[in-house]
Amino acid sequence: MTGSINIALLGCGVVGSQVVRLLTEQADELAARVGAPLRLVGVAVRRPQRHPDVPADLLTTDAAELVSRDEVDVVVELVGGIEPVRGLLLTALKAGKSVVSANKALLAEDGAALAAAADESGADLYYEASVAGAIPLLRPIQQSLAGDRIVRVAGIVNGTTNFILSAMASSGANYTEALEEAGRLGYAEADPTADVDGYDAASKAAILASLAFHTRVTADDVYREGIRDVTAADIAAAKALGCTVKLLAICEQTNGSVSARVHPAMIPRSHPLASVSGAYNAVFIEAAAAGQLMFYGQGAGGPQTASAVLGDLVAASRNRVIGGRGPRDTAHAALPVLAMGDTHTRYHVALDVIDRAGVLAQVAGVFAEHGVSIATVRQEGRGHGNGAAGRDADDGAPGPKDATLVIVTHSASDAALAATVEALTGLDAVQGVAGVLRVEGLGRPVTELGGGS
Ligand SMILES: NC(=O)C1=CN([C@@H]2O[C@H](COP(=O)(O)OP(=O)(O)OC[C@H]3O[C@@H](n4cnc5c(N)ncnc54)[C@H](O)[C@@H]3O)[C@@H](O)[C@H]2O)C=CC1
Ligand SMILES: N[C@@H](CC=O)C(=O)O
Ligand code: NA
C-alpha cells in the first residue's frame, strides 16, 4: 500500500460530521478500496468548541491555511454558499489538490471557473452530493451515459417541497399548514426560501443540464417558480384530472438549444414520478439509445449525503493512487439556452366566468387568436344555486349563474399561453383566473387527462 491520501475537511455540520464518522468507522475498508489509507489532516470549522467528537488537534478556524498546506491531497468542502468557499476551492484546485463538494449553489453559479482550474492543474472536481444527495446521478450521467445522447432530465430534486406538496395532496392542507408541518418534522429549514421558492432546485437543474448536455448552464439561466402559490384548489383540480402536483426540474435539449426550468406542474398519476412522495427525490433521464431511466432515493440528510461525498472521495483518492484523474466536465457542446417563452408544454387553466350564452365561444376565441389549441373543456357550476363543483352547470337552478371553466390545452409555447391568460383577464365575462398550472407528460403521452380521480 502506498502513502496516505491526506484530506482537509471544510465544514463539519450535518453532512461534514457524518463524513468524519464514516471516515473513522470505515477506515480499514476504505483503505483497502483505495489502495492507501485516507487520513484526515484537518477540519476547518467556525467554532471548535462545538465539535467535541473531532480530535482537537485536527480542528482549525483557518480554512485558508488548511487548504494551502502542501500535505493536503483532497479538499472536501461541506460549508455551502459562495464566499469564502469559491476562493478556497480555486486555491486548492490551482495547487493541484482534488476537490469534493456538495455545494450546489457554488457549482451552479461558478462551476465553469472551478472546472477550468481543475483542468489546468489536472486535479479532480467531484460533486455527486450536490444534486439529489445520496442518489447516484451525476456519475451515471457523466460516465455510464457518456456514449449516449441525453435528451431530457426531469425530476423531483427538492425533498422539502415534495414533502409539502405530498402533505397538501394527502390531507387537503393548504400551503401554510403543510409548510408548518414540514418545519415541525425537521424537513423545512427555519428560512425555507431556498427550497420553497425553487432556488435549490434551480441550482440542481443547472448542474444537471450542464452535465447531461455537455454545455454550461448557470442558475441564472434556469426559469424558476416555487410552490408558495400552489393552492389547495390547484391540488384538487389536479386530482380531478387524474394528476398530482409536483415541483419539477426539467432540462431538455431540443433543436440545438437547451432549456432548464423549475416550476410546479401537474403530472399524470400513472407517471412513475407521481408516486414519489414525502422527502424523497427521483429523477427521470431520457437518452436516445438507453431510453427512459429513473433514479430514486433520499436527496438529503447527513448520512445519506455523506455516502455520496465518500463515493467521490474514494474516486478522487483512487485517482491519486493510480496517478491521473477521472472524467472531467465537458462543455464542448456550448449550446444556447432557450428563453422560457419559447419552451413548449401543456397547460391547465381554470377561469371564473359569468355563465351566460356565448362566453365559452369568447374564451375559445382568445385561445385561438393566440394559437393555443384547446384539448378539453369542462364547466363546473359555482355558487348562486348553481350546484356543487363538478356537476353540470346547466342544472336549471334559479338565480344568477357563475361557473368555472377548466381548460386543458395541447402543447403551446409559454409566451403564447401567458399572452392568452393576459387577454382572458380583459374579457367582461371572465371574473378571474382561478389557476394556471403546467401539465407535463414527461416523455409519455398525457392520455388520461380528464379521466377523473
Ligand atoms: N444537509 C443536507 O441534507 C444536504 C446538504 N447539501 C450541501 O452540503 C453542504 C453542507 O450542508 P450542511 O452540512 O447541511 O450544512 P451545515 O450548516 O449543517 O454545515 C455547514 C458547516 O460549515 C460551517 N462553516 C461555515 N462557514 C465556515 C467557514 N468559513 N469555515 C469553516 N466552516 C464553516 C458552519 O459552522 C457549519 O457547521 C451545503 O453545500 C449543502 O447545500 C447537499 C445535499 C443535502
Ligand atoms: N434542502 C434540500 C436538501 C439539500 O439538497 C431539499 O429539501 O431537498
Ligand atoms: Na447525488
Side-chain angles (χ1 to χ4, degrees):
M1 202 173 276
T2 52
S4 62
I5 300 295
N6 294 334
I7 296 152
L9 175 63
L10 311 183
C12 195
V14 172
V15 184
S17 59
Q18 292 301 314
V19 168
V20 173
R21 181 180 66 79
L22 292 174
L23 274 174
T24 310
E25 287 177 7
Q26 303 179 164
D28 292 345
E29 274 183 79
L30 292 170
R33 288 174 204 168
V34 168
L38 302 185
R39 188 164 74 95
L40 196 55
V41 297
V43 181
V45 297
R46 277 202 298 213
R47 284 175 283 272
Q49 66 278 12
R50 292 202 178 170
H51 302 277
D53 294 343
V54 180
D57 60 330
L58 294 184
L59 291 169
T60 174
T61 53
D62 192 346
E65 184 278 326
L66 174 59
V67 160
S68 58
R69 282 187 210 165
D70 286 341
E71 65 173 342
V72 170
D73 296 300
V74 185
V75 173
V76 176
E77 183 270 308
L78 297 167
V79 170
I82 307 298
E83 298 295 355
V85 174
R86 173 172 26 206
L88 294 168
L89 298 192
L90 284 172
T91 301
L93 289 166
K94 283 176 185 165
K97 291 158 188 162
S98 295
V99 163
V100 172
S101 173
N103 192 334
K104 61 218 127 183
L106 177 59
L107 266 307
E109 177 169 311
D110 216 2
L114 296 173
D119 283 348
E120 231 169 86
S121 69
D124 284 319
L125 170 64
Y126 290 149
Y127 42 94
E128 177 64 74
S130 68
V131 182
I135 306 175
L137 186 59
L138 305 190
R139 191 163 284 113
I141 288 174
Q142 264 193 311
Q143 297 188 29
S144 317
L145 293 167
D148 208 334
R149 199 169 62 80
I150 297 176
V151 293
R152 180 187 290 115
V153 182
I156 296 162
V157 294
N158 184 269
T160 305
T161 48
N162 200 49
F163 178 88
I164 293 170
L165 293 173
S166 301
M168 288 173 76
S170 62
S171 70
N174 66 30
Y175 166 75
T176 310
E177 290 161 348
L179 174 62
E180 277 166 14
E181 191 188 354
R184 267 196 309 278
L185 294 174
Y187 292 116
E189 295 183 29
D191 176 4
T193 305
D195 292 318
V196 300
D197 290 333
Y199 291 100
D200 176 83
S203 292
K204 292 166 178 170
I207 293 169
L208 288 171
S210 299
L211 293 180
F213 307 136
H214 306 279
T215 190
R216 275 291 162 202
V217 175
T218 69
D220 285 345
D221 295 323
V222 180
Y223 174 83
R224 179 186 52 77
E225 264 178 44
I227 63 161
R228 278 185 207 267
D229 296 333
V230 176
T231 63
D234 290 330
I235 305 276
K239 219 172 189 173
L241 284 172
C243 289
T244 189
V245 177
K246 296 289 184 191
L247 182 73
L248 298 177
I250 301 175
C251 311
E252 290 171 313
Q253 183 178 12
T254 29
N255 303 326
S257 47
V258 297
S259 62
R261 50 198 166 102
V262 167
H263 53 70
M266 292 185 184
I267 57 174
R269 285 221 296 273
S270 58
H271 194 281
L273 287 179
S275 57
V276 176
S277 63
Y280 276 79
N281 285 190
V283 176
F284 195 71
I285 296 181
E286 212 178 317
Q292 297 175 338
L293 305 162
M294 187 162 154
F295 300 77
Y296 172 79
Q298 298 192 52
Q304 295 82 356
T305 309
S307 163
V309 172
L310 262 290
D312 280 353
L313 181 53
V314 165
S317 300
R318 280 177 175 155
N319 295 340
R320 294 255 147 189
V321 170
I322 296 163
R325 65 188 301 219
R328 59 192 184 86
D329 289 13
T330 49
H332 55 86
L335 299 170
V337 179
L338 208 61
M340 184 59 187
D342 294 329
T343 62
H344 284 68
T345 190
R346 302 180 65 179
Y347 299 83
H348 169 275
V349 181
L351 296 173
D352 289 340
V353 298
I354 299 169
D355 188 6
R356 67 171 182 233
V359 170
L360 185 55
Q362 259 187 314
V363 166
V366 171
F367 276 87
E369 273 164 35
H370 292 86
V372 179
S373 174
I374 292 173
T376 63
V377 184
R378 195 157 60 110
Q379 180 168 324
E380 297 171 352
R382 183 165 50 83
H384 297 281
N386 216 15
R391 274 177 37 194
D392 187 349
D394 189 16
D395 61 1
K401 306 252 184 170
D402 291 337
T404 299
L405 285 179
V406 179
I407 294 161
V408 178
T409 73
H410 286 297
S411 187
S413 77
D414 214 69
L417 195 281
T420 304
V421 171
E422 172 77 27
L424 286 168
T425 58
L427 294 182
D428 283 350
V430 173
Q431 297 162 317
V433 179
V436 178
L437 267 179
R438 295 175 182 86
V439 181
E440 301 287 344
L442 298 168
R444 296 178 173 211
V446 187
T447 47
E448 66 270 53
L449 290 186
S453 60

